[in-house]
Each structure stands twice: as structure tokens, then as C-alpha cells.
Amino acid sequence: MGIIWTIIIGFIAGVIAKFIMPGSNEPSGFVLTTILGIVGAVIASYLGQALGWYAPGEGAGLIGAVVGAIVLLLGWGGIAKRRA
């Protein structure tokens, strides 16, 4: 059940992040939105553990996943602007 829960939270986090940070060069579609949220959760978990906000083995929640996805979108936007 853990992987299904991760996919659901990832999708919700990706949708919220794309709503907060709209843009024309961002990834779209169900799969890419879900991947965006999942990678955002991984980024938030890693940074949170490195900064001492989360215990080892503890993952980020929905808010952390959204923040991580926004950071990922900012990076994506920076790379897309350099290419154009």
C-alpha cells in the first residue's frame, strides 16, 4: 500500500505545485505531474533529513512534497530559459 500512497500524494503535490507555479515550459500530463510530485517529495525528504527537520527514514509529508516540487519547477524553468 505504501507505493500506491506515494503515487497518490505525489500526484496531489504535483498538481498543487503546478497550480502555484504555472508556466508554459513545465512538464504536463498525468504521469509527468505524478513524477514531479514524487521527485519533489524525495527532494524535500533529503533536504529535511540533511537539515535535521526529519528523522532518518522519515519522509516529507504533503506540504514538504509540494515545496520540493516547486523547487524542482524553479530549476526546470531556469534550465528552460537558458535553452531558449
Side-chain angles (χ1 to χ4, degrees):
M1 188 69 178
I3 191 73
I4 295 172
W5 186 247
T6 302
I7 291 170
I8 292 170
I9 293 298
F11 177 70
I12 294 170
V15 168
I16 293 171
K18 285 174 63 174
F19 180 74
I20 292 172
M21 294 279 306
S24 60
N25 292 332
E26 67 185 28
S28 60
F30 174 78
V31 173
L32 289 177
T33 301
T34 304
I35 291 172
L36 171 71
I38 291 171
V39 173
V42 170
I43 290 171
S45 295
Y46 177 74
L47 289 176
Q49 288 174 7
L51 295 173
W53 295 342
Y54 301 121
E58 184 180 7
L62 179 63
I63 295 172
V66 170
V67 171
I70 290 173
V71 168
L72 188 63
L73 281 174
L74 286 172
W76 182 274
I79 291 170
K81 282 185 181 179
R82 268 198 259 167
R83 290 181 136 191

